[in-house]
Amino acid sequence: MNQRRRFLRNAGAYSLSAIAGRLILPEVANDLVHHVRRIESMPLDTQIKDEAFWESVKQAYTVSPTIMNLNNGGVSPQPRVVQEAVERYNKLSNEAPSYYMWRILDKGREPLRSRVADLAGCSAEEIAFNRNTSEALETIIFGLRLEAGDEVVLSKLDYPNMMNAWRQREHRDGIVLKWIEPEFPMESDEEIIRLYTDQFTDKTRIVHLTHMVNWMGQVIPVKKIADAAHERGIEVVVDGAHSFAHLDFEIRDLNCDYFGTSLHKWLCAPFGSGLIYVRKEKIKSLYPLLAAPDPEEEDIRKFEHLGTRSFAIEQAIGQALDFHLMIGPERKAERLWMLKNYWCERVSELNNVSIGTSLNRDYGGAIALLRIEGQSPQDVGNALMNDHGIHTVSIDYFNVQGVRITPNVYTLTSDLDRLVGAIKEIAGA
């Protein structure tokens, strides 16, 4: 589905100007509307390189003018509209907490569920809100009905919280963990699929897949692995922390049974907002992490018995969704991929610099791993921050060593020119 049809489907009767007026300061909104209308008839390749448009997007954020934030893989900043929505809902809640939280704001969850489900490409009866990917996936991992001897296939490059959850089930229940040890980047679906399917046996019950690997941004062919797993009766759990609202896809495209993501990453929703997806026919047999009145009910809402929560954080997801749709999912995905390649291509020609991430659009997005020969990731990361004011994250984990660099929609190519200059200086080029 292209970005124009998706925008219109979600926007409903509202005009672009009306939505923008709800989003941000009038002068910023007017400028952004002007640029959206100016570029929308252009070829997509031209849109993603139009710096005037992306400058108008940047103005909708409140990012530091002195620190260049290139660690958006950890958590993304919220546009001003989302920050203000959280403050507004929180102030309302404090006027009479039990009234406004439980009788007013709580009623906003169902419309929000429908809108997010529309973006996710699934039924509203298959998604529930929580705080982050770890909570979503640990709900799944601890809720699955596994017995001693059941096998789970997973990767040593999965996120540590998820690996620890599976290890706890191994310790507690006697399940068997079968690890793959990938050497990413890889640009062959067949080779990646084989890593997983070679571990499948008649005892395999679950395969755990990280859609976009957080360490270096490798995208794996989830659907193809899921198809192979389902042929053998194996259920599929997907960690979508870095792919949701980053890559342009819908959950149904993955053919998975379970999916978790953090909305405070690429959707730029409030910190501490997340999403769990459970295929409709799987809900009944998945136990909730926090007790529900009926743990075997078929209602996805059994995963939302969290007690008192921040309604302000939950409801402001709607403003983040509006902003995401205004940019356009396809336009955003292509821009993020372009930004990664922009700086990577300019430094990969240096003799002592290498990139530990694929530049092929099928195998990556915004995240990339920088390596400088003869220098540790910590040394490179410190030099970028201390000498150039560029915030990144140093990675030294298993078989991945380098500095993870991750731009976002508010990052301009002029910002990345500054990054390229800094890398050249650090590398002695």
Side-chain angles (χ1 to χ4, degrees):
M1 178 173 293
N2 67 37
Q3 62 186 23
R4 182 64 177 167
R5 291 204 307 276
R6 180 174 290 176
F7 174 80
L8 291 173
R9 181 183 68 179
N10 286 276
Y14 291 107
S15 69
L16 179 61
S17 296
I19 291 176
R22 299 203 320 270
L23 287 179
I24 36 189
L25 296 174
E27 60 272 22
V28 177
N30 291 337
D31 186 58
L32 186 52
V33 168
H34 164 74
H35 284 293
V36 169
R37 288 176 170 160
R38 179 180 61 80
I39 71 169
E40 61 186 354
S41 62
M42 297 177 181
L44 182 60
D45 185 58
T46 302
Q47 295 181 36
I48 64 174
K49 296 176 182 177
D50 191 300
E51 291 302 297
F53 170 74
W54 297 104
E55 173 68 35
S56 71
V57 171
K58 182 173 185 175
Q59 294 307 310
Y61 284 81
T62 60
V63 292
S64 171
T66 56
I67 296 176
M68 187 192 304
N69 180 30
L70 292 179
N71 185 23
N72 292 281
V75 60
S76 292
Q78 303 148 39
R80 183 183 288 109
V81 59
V82 178
Q83 299 175 46
E84 293 177 348
V86 172
E87 292 177 8
R88 184 169 65 252
Y89 293 135
N90 192 55
K91 287 179 179 178
L92 178 65
S93 297
N94 275 285
E95 291 186 14
S98 65
Y99 176 79
Y100 284 111
M101 288 168 59
W102 298 110
R103 298 189 184 184
I104 304 299
L105 294 181
D106 194 45
K107 297 183 185 302
R109 186 175 302 114
E110 294 311 314
L112 182 62
R113 191 190 312 276
S114 295
R115 295 193 63 220
V116 174
D118 196 35
L119 174 68
C122 61
S123 166
E125 297 302 314
E126 295 177 311
I127 64 168
F129 297 111
N130 54 25
R131 291 174 291 188
N132 50 58
T133 310
S134 293
E135 185 171 82
L137 293 179
E138 288 178 41
T139 297
I140 294 162
I141 292 168
F142 292 123
L144 289 165
R145 304 188 185 200
L146 300 175
E147 300 176 351
D150 288 345
E151 294 179 353
V152 175
V153 175
L154 65 167
S155 167
K156 288 192 175 179
L157 291 179
D158 291 329
Y159 194 65
N161 285 3
M162 282 45 271
M163 292 192 289
N164 290 337
W166 283 117
R167 289 184 178 115
Q168 185 166 315
R169 287 222 63 175
E170 178 185 42
H171 175 78
R172 187 181 71 188
D173 302 316
I175 66 170
V176 177
L177 304 182
K178 302 188 70 176
W179 301 92
I180 68 165
E181 300 183 0
E183 293 282 347
F184 292 140
M186 297 175 67
E187 296 183 346
S188 167
D189 281 5
E190 290 71 25
E191 290 181 23
I192 299 172
I193 294 166
R194 194 178 306 116
L195 286 172
Y196 287 90
T197 56
D198 281 354
Q199 298 295 325
F200 292 171
T201 72
D202 291 341
K203 295 182 179 180
T204 305
R205 300 291 177 262
I206 303 291
V207 58
H208 181 107
L209 305 173
T210 300
H211 193 188
M212 178 182 283
V213 179
N214 85 95
W215 308 110
M216 83 301 288
Q218 172 79 39
V219 175
I220 69 170
V222 166
K223 184 181 185 303
K224 292 181 180 180
I225 300 171
D227 290 346
H230 286 148
E231 288 178 1
R232 303 188 64 159
I234 299 168
E235 293 186 300
V236 180
V237 176
V238 173
D239 180 338
H242 284 280
S243 60
F244 188 78
H246 180 170
L247 307 179
D248 187 25
F249 73 99
E250 296 181 341
I251 293 177
R252 65 164 63 96
D253 297 337
L254 305 180
N255 193 25
C256 61
D257 300 292
Y258 313 95
F259 181 96
T261 192
S262 294
L263 302 179
H264 55 239
K265 289 186 183 289
W266 294 98
L267 190 63
C268 296
F271 307 138
S273 58
L275 179 73
I276 180 174
Y277 160 87
V278 182
R279 190 191 292 266
K280 182 62 177 176
E281 58 268 29
K282 304 288 184 179
I283 295 173
K284 179 179 176 61
S285 61
L286 185 71
Y287 288 118
L289 185 63
L290 302 177
D294 178 2
E296 296 188 341
E297 65 179 324
E298 300 179 77
D299 191 334
I300 192 71
R301 294 158 190 81
K302 74 180 183 181
F303 301 112
E304 292 177 338
H305 287 275
L306 307 178
T308 303
R309 72 203 75 185
S310 172
F311 287 85
I313 287 174
E314 183 176 85
Q315 285 305 298
I317 293 170
Q319 279 76 12
L321 180 59
D322 281 340
F323 193 82
H324 174 78
L325 292 171
M326 175 173 287
I327 295 175
E330 183 182 14
R331 184 189 292 142
K332 177 177 177 178
E334 289 297 306
R335 171 69 175 186
L336 291 172
W337 175 81
M338 185 277 285
L339 289 174
K340 187 270 300 293
N341 281 30
Y342 180 91
W343 74 265
C344 286
E345 289 171 352
R346 284 161 175 74
V347 302
S348 59
E349 299 175 353
L350 303 176
N351 290 333
N352 56 342
V353 172
S354 62
I355 303 298
T357 303
S358 172
L359 303 190
N360 185 319
R361 70 178 64 241
D362 293 331
Y363 298 100
I367 300 172
L369 192 75
L370 168 71
R371 299 171 178 145
I372 297 181
E373 185 178 347
Q375 299 191 45
S376 72
Q378 191 67 40
D379 288 342
V380 175
N382 287 341
L384 284 170
M385 184 67 229
N386 297 335
D387 299 337
H388 301 278
I390 300 174
H391 175 54
T392 59
V393 62
S394 302
I395 305 291
D396 189 355
Y397 177 80
F398 186 51
N399 59 6
V400 181
Q401 288 79 37
V403 175
R404 190 182 70 183
I405 295 175
T406 314
N408 206 328
V409 291
Y410 59 83
T411 308
L412 304 178
T413 54
S414 58
D415 297 326
L416 297 180
D417 289 336
R418 177 178 153 196
L419 169 69
V420 170
I423 292 171
K424 288 181 177 179
E425 180 179 315
I426 295 168

